[in-house]
Amino acid sequence: MTRTQRAHCAFEALRKVIPEPETELEYENTWQLLVAVMLSAQCTDARVNLVTPALFKRFPDSDSMLGCSSDEVLPWIRSISYPNSKAKHLVQTAALIHERFGGKVPGTVDELVQLQGVGRKTAQVVASVAFNVPALAVDTHVFRVANRLGLVTRAATTPEKVERQLKRLLPEATWGNAHHLLILHGRYTCMARSPSCGTCPVTSCCDYFARLQRLPSPRTDLDPRKGKYFCASRGHYFDAPDTVSDRDGVDQVSCPRCGSMNVFLTKNGLSTKQVLDFRV
Ligand code: SF4
């Protein structure tokens, strides 16, 4: 399956189960969206949604934050990650919006990144959601799911590379939609630690799932009294394994005598082989 076919298959299936993918952050105007996205860096949307109702009541627009000190903003966002620096950035951003953009949140990525504490990812989310600008921000969910599905090559080792490859792969008009689909799929199904492959709608086009299926079947003929591990290549039992990195850079348990990675745990017969899962 080519990456284009994989993308077509995956997004068609995801659109059926997530017909209206959109941000889960709650806001009522562009300023509030910008603030919510800034607060969501290294924090969950659910946590942000807990603090923003009171915060937006006190600071409903950028003008209402003008002239405030970060100490005045801090109490409203104390339960968010990195509250001190985020409070400073919000105050500075409100001032910059007033000074450079006539009191309105700017609508392009290039302008948005001029604001304090607004990186490329935040800028792309705001530009896409509020101004319908074609943008595809890559966060931890998009990075992981795009890699697991096989929408990007193994050379896409950074968010920037994933973004470039996804933008080449997908039609520009679908970037915003794809961004939200990958985030929501990563948040609720393809989680970092334990992806729910058993209930996932895109198993038929997922590279990670295909690799899991190719792992060796469990063995039932092993004797745990002879050792913790069994090397299936040469038939050795051993207790202290070596590790070697495979071609994907994953540390695999290996046989200390022959170096084989075809190793099984004797207590349950399972292969020790791991598939690269792109957790970041
Ligand atoms: S099959 Fe598993 S790894 Fe693949 S997208 Fe679904 S949950 Fe993620």
Side-chain angles (χ1 to χ4, degrees), residues 145 148-149 185 189-191 195-198 200-203 206-209 212:
V145 177
R148 281 183 180 165
L149 282 169
H185 187 58
T189 305
C190 191
M191 289 85 75
S196 300
C197 301
C200 178
V202 295
T203 48
C206 177
D207 184 52
Y208 177 87
F209 185 77
L212 285 183

Side-chain angles (χ1 to χ4, degrees), residues 29-42:
N29 57 42
T30 313
W31 156 256
Q32 293 181 6
L33 171 67
L34 173 63
V35 170
V37 179
M38 287 172 74
L39 294 179
S40 71
Q42 310 283 320

Side-chain angles (χ1 to χ4, degrees), residues 141-264:
H141 297 303
V142 176
F143 182 85
R144 181 179 68 255
V145 177
N147 268 294
R148 281 183 180 165
L149 282 169
L151 301 180
V152 293
T153 66
R154 287 293 156 94
T157 50
T158 64
E160 292 74 25
K161 289 177 182 171
V162 168
E163 181 187 326
R164 275 200 295 277
Q165 290 200 11
L166 285 178
K167 283 182 170 174
R168 276 202 296 269
L169 180 71
L170 305 172
E172 192 173 282
T174 68
W175 289 355
N177 180 270
H179 163 79
H180 290 302
L181 283 172
L182 294 176
I183 285 185
L184 293 170
H185 187 58
R187 192 172 285 159
Y188 296 112
T189 305
C190 191
M191 289 85 75
R193 285 187 186 280
S194 48
S196 300
C197 301
T199 56
C200 178
V202 295
T203 48
S204 61
C205 36
C206 177
D207 184 52
Y208 177 87
F209 185 77
R211 285 169 188 266
L212 285 183
Q213 305 315 300
R214 290 199 293 270
L215 290 178
S217 302
R219 297 183 61 133
T220 54
D221 57 342
L222 304 180
D223 184 352
R225 288 169 301 182
K226 294 184 178 172
K228 289 181 185 165
Y229 299 91
F230 177 72
C231 166
S233 295
R234 298 287 173 89
H236 315 301
Y237 281 90
F238 55 93
D239 286 319
D242 275 347
T243 53
V244 291
S245 285
D246 67 14
R247 71 181 72 146
D248 293 324
V250 182
D251 280 344
Q252 304 281 1
V253 168
S254 67
C255 172
R257 287 166 68 184
C258 71
S260 168
M261 291 184 277
N262 193 11
V263 172
F264 290 77

